[in-house]
């Protein structure tokens, strides 16, 4: 695993953004159940929740729309600990294995973890495809209109405008469930 801490700070009390998604009924219940369980994680506090956004499926489109939401956390868990906790939460909510881009009771992705960059087979921070998902950018910008990618410094509103321009020109498919 490659870990780069761009601030020199330790992980204690680090902020993180998680993306939650569900498209199997009862979607709202699965989101709420995941939030409740994540709020019970040790040394972790949910400090903000985005509005819920309905998004079309990506990849395999013959399925229900997704409900997506972003959470902002303050956590003492290190990235791999947070990943394990997220995967356990998915299991507790009742996630069943599906095919790629298939229907899900709950899907939880770590989008950002402080200013860290993590690259390993099981974990990529920032999330490997968040920049190509307009709905993720929109939800993150609900938290802070001036939010930037903590690694590249790219303004998320600039990236969203670029995606919207490409979508308008027919070069990019909106959404992007993963």
């Amino acid at each position: 695993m490659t870990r780069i801490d761009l601030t020199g700070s330790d992980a204690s009390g680090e902020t993180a953004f998680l993306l939650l998604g569900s498209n199997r009924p009862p979607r709202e219940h699965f989101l709420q159940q995941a939030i409740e369980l994540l709020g019970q994680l040790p040394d972790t506090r949910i400090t903000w929740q985005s509005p819920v956004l309905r998004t079309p499926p990506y990849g395999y489109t013959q399925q229900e729309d997704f409900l997506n939401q972003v959470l902002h956390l303050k956590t003492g868990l290190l990235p791999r600990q947070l990943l394990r906790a997220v995967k356990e939460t998915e299991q507790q909510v009742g996630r069943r294995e599906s095919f790629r881009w298939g229907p899900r009771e709950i899907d939880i992705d770590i989008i950002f973890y402080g200013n860290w960059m993590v690259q390993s087979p099981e974990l990529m921070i920032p999330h490997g495809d968040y920049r190509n998902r307009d709905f993720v950018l929109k939800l993150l910008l609900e938290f802070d209109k001036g939010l930037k990618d903590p690694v590249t410094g790219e303004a998320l509103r600039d990236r969203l405008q670029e995606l919207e321009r490409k979508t308008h020109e027919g070069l990019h498919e909106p959404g992007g469930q993963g």
Side-chain angles (χ1 to χ4, degrees):
M1 171 172 91
T2 302
R3 175 196 164 245
I4 302 171
D5 179 358
L6 301 174
T7 64
S9 64
D10 65 31
S12 180
E14 204 56 84
T15 60
F17 285 94
L18 303 182
L19 172 70
L20 284 65
S22 176
N23 79 329
R24 281 197 170 143
R27 298 174 299 182
E28 296 88 352
H29 172 75
F30 288 135
L31 288 177
Q32 190 56 45
Q33 189 179 7
I35 291 167
E36 289 172 15
L37 291 168
L38 291 166
Q40 297 171 17
L41 294 177
D43 200 16
T44 299
R45 183 170 45 95
I46 297 172
T47 59
W48 178 83
Q49 298 178 38
S50 77
V52 174
L53 186 63
R54 185 178 176 157
T55 62
Y58 178 81
Y60 176 68
T61 59
Q62 301 302 311
Q63 58 182 319
E64 295 291 321
D65 284 352
F66 278 79
L67 293 183
N68 292 106
Q69 187 170 23
V70 165
L71 303 180
H72 181 265
L73 310 176
K74 186 90 167 166
T75 185
L77 299 176
L78 293 168
R80 283 190 184 200
Q81 292 171 320
L82 183 58
L83 177 65
R84 275 193 299 276
V86 159
K87 294 303 174 194
E88 288 171 10
T89 298
E90 289 177 339
Q91 293 302 311
Q92 288 175 310
V93 170
R95 179 170 175 164
R96 291 175 279 157
E97 286 306 311
S98 183
F99 53 92
R100 183 169 184 188
W101 293 325
R104 290 177 288 263
E105 291 78 11
I106 192 72
D107 184 43
I108 306 170
D109 293 326
I110 302 170
I111 304 299
F112 297 140
Y113 183 93
N115 289 333
W116 289 37
M117 185 173 89
V118 178
Q119 294 181 342
S120 71
E122 66 276 354
L123 180 61
M124 297 244 343
I125 299 174
H127 185 275
D129 205 29
Y130 90 91
R131 305 176 74 253
N132 298 316
R133 298 176 180 180
D134 55 353
F135 71 95
V136 177
L137 296 169
K138 288 175 184 175
L139 291 172
L140 288 167
L141 289 168
E142 287 284 332
F143 177 76
D144 178 356
K145 298 287 186 215
L147 195 62
K148 296 181 179 187
D149 181 301
V151 174
T152 67
E154 177 183 31
L156 299 190
R157 71 177 174 272
D158 293 345
R159 179 63 187 157
L160 179 59
Q161 288 172 350
E162 182 182 336
L163 284 181
E164 288 173 342
R165 181 185 53 77
K166 286 181 179 179
T167 299
H168 181 71
E169 294 172 357
L171 301 174
H172 173 75
E173 186 174 341
Q177 298 293 332

